[in-house]
Amino acid sequence: MDTEKMIMRLDELEPGRKGIVAGLNGKGLFLNRACAFGFSPGTEVMMIRNPSKGPLIAYLRDTLIALGRKEAACVRLRPLPGLPQHALEQ
């Protein structure tokens, strides 16, 4: 599978993996909030915490951001190839 062309939701990204923001799906307040947090196309994002329930934590632009699962599902990413960060540290 060619990860260069694959688009996924932020809530699908595994901890330690990185992606590039490809776009946002949503309206009004969500778009304003996401842009204020720095989720703009071309921004690199690394997933820090993504439990099966509850909010997730992503790292972008030197900031940790906590997002609800519904909000994270509106952020579209192009995953970057490579091992998760935690796999490199072992």
Side-chain angles (χ1 to χ4, degrees):
M1 185 179 296
D2 186 2
T3 57
E4 287 279 323
K5 296 178 183 173
M6 188 171 92
I7 301 291
M8 65 188 304
R9 299 183 327 242
L10 178 61
D11 66 324
E12 297 172 324
L13 195 63
E14 297 173 8
R17 297 295 309 260
K18 295 179 181 181
I20 301 293
V21 176
L24 301 169
N25 290 349
K27 299 179 190 175
L29 291 177
F30 167 74
L31 289 179
N32 291 339
R33 186 168 179 243
C35 289
F37 284 156
F39 287 100
S40 57
T43 302
E44 185 175 296
V45 178
M46 183 169 80
M47 182 58 66
I48 302 298
R49 182 176 178 269
N50 190 356
S52 58
K53 293 183 179 180
L56 51 84
I57 299 174
Y59 179 79
L60 67 150
R61 300 182 185 258
D62 295 326
T63 305
L64 290 172
I65 305 289
L67 285 177
R69 301 198 76 72
K70 276 186 175 180
E71 293 173 321
C74 294
V75 179
R76 299 295 187 243
L77 298 175
R78 216 173 274 109
L80 293 175
L83 293 172
Q85 189 68 30
H86 62 82
L88 299 175
E89 295 169 354
Q90 294 178 0

